[in-house]
Every structure is written in structure tokens, then in C-alpha cells.
Amino acid sequence: MEDNITPKQNKGGRKLKKNPAIFRYSISLNEEENNRFRSLFQQSGMKVMAHFITACVFQKTIKTVKIDVSAMDYHVRLTNLYGQFRSVGINYNQVVKIMYHNFSEKKAAAYLFKLEKQTIEMVKLIQEIIHLTQEFENNHLK
């Protein structure tokens, strides 16, 4: 009797879903409604339009993501500026070492005095950048 029972063979392919969606509905939108629908879909950040529609129909919470291009641009430029300040700091250390190594102490001190004045101006500039960044965050990001 055991010889007559054939084991199930795996036919391959995709595994069946537990709860497949088999019902389909169709809607028609005019141009204005379609534009509004597409903008809402893009703001939601969802990847699949069918999931977005289902969430809208069943009143699930729909998250919308607003991307402020000016804030992103400001952030990118500020990050680049930070990288430049780091390189200035590295170069500053190298210049001080080279000055004391190649020049007399009196001449090196004179050049360092000029460098110190430029550094003070740079510190003022950095403080202004910090102030403007805080102002930008308060006015545009909250």
C-alpha cells in the first residue's frame, strides 16, 4: 500500500500568498484630481501606489514627507564649509611647525602675529555662520 502513495513534488515557482488580493476596482480621475492624487502619493513616500490607495480608502494614517530643497542645499554647503575649516586647521598646524623649523624665532613670531590676526577674523566669520545657522533653523526648519 505504501508503494501507491506518491510524495508531493515541488513544482517550483513563487510561494502562494496566505491572503491573496483577488478583487480589483477601477476609478477614473480628471486631470486636476489626478495631479492632486499624484502629489499626495509622492508626499507619502510610499513605493507602491496600490498600498497608498488602500491606506486612503481604509483611513489608515498616511505619512507625508516634505523635502525642503533650500534646507538640503544649506546643509550641503555647510558640510562643505566644515570640511574646508578642517583642512585650514590642518594646514595651520603644518605652517606653524614649518615656520619654527625654517625661520628664526623672531621672524617666525612676526609671521605668526599676522596669522593670528587672520585667525581672529576667521573666528568672527565662524561665529556669524553659527548665528545664521541658528536663525535659519528657527525660521525655516521648525
Side-chain angles (χ1 to χ4, degrees):
M1 210 176 229
E2 291 180 279
D3 294 333
N4 293 341
I5 301 174
T6 59
K8 280 189 173 180
Q9 291 182 350
N10 186 3
K11 295 181 181 180
R14 187 186 304 183
K15 291 183 181 180
L16 296 177
K17 293 182 178 179
K18 292 180 183 177
N19 189 10
I22 56 173
F23 300 101
R24 297 178 188 267
Y25 296 94
S26 174
I27 62 169
S28 299
L29 302 173
N30 63 24
E31 188 174 344
E32 180 184 323
E33 293 169 339
N34 186 49
N35 291 338
R36 185 170 176 219
F37 172 76
R38 287 202 178 267
S39 68
L40 287 173
F41 173 66
Q42 288 174 349
Q43 288 175 3
S44 73
M46 292 180 151
K47 304 273 186 219
V48 181
M49 200 175 288
H51 295 165
F52 173 72
I53 294 170
T54 305
C56 289
V57 169
F58 293 113
Q59 299 298 321
K60 295 179 184 175
T61 57
I62 302 167
K63 69 174 186 175
T64 57
V65 179
K66 297 223 179 203
I67 298 174
D68 188 2
V69 178
S70 63
M72 284 181 58
D73 187 41
Y74 186 80
H75 176 72
V76 168
R77 291 177 189 264
L78 197 60
T79 304
N80 291 340
L81 194 59
Y82 176 74
Q84 290 176 358
F85 283 134
R86 284 189 53 176
S87 64
V88 165
I90 292 169
N91 291 340
Y92 189 91
N93 290 338
Q94 291 174 350
V95 165
V96 170
K97 287 180 185 177
I98 290 171
M99 287 170 100
Y100 276 114
H101 187 268
N102 292 336
F103 297 114
S104 67
E105 199 167 312
K106 190 175 184 181
K107 200 169 192 179
Y111 285 128
L112 284 177
F113 181 72
K114 291 179 182 179
L115 185 62
E116 189 176 322
K117 283 186 174 182
Q118 295 297 319
T119 305
I120 291 170
E121 286 183 34
M122 190 171 80
V123 167
K124 289 178 184 176
L125 179 66
I126 292 171
Q127 289 173 345
E128 181 68 22
I129 291 171
I130 291 171
H131 173 72
L132 289 173
T133 301
Q134 289 171 344
E135 186 178 312
F136 180 78
E137 288 175 352
N138 290 336
N139 293 339
H140 299 287
L141 297 182
K142 291 187 179 180

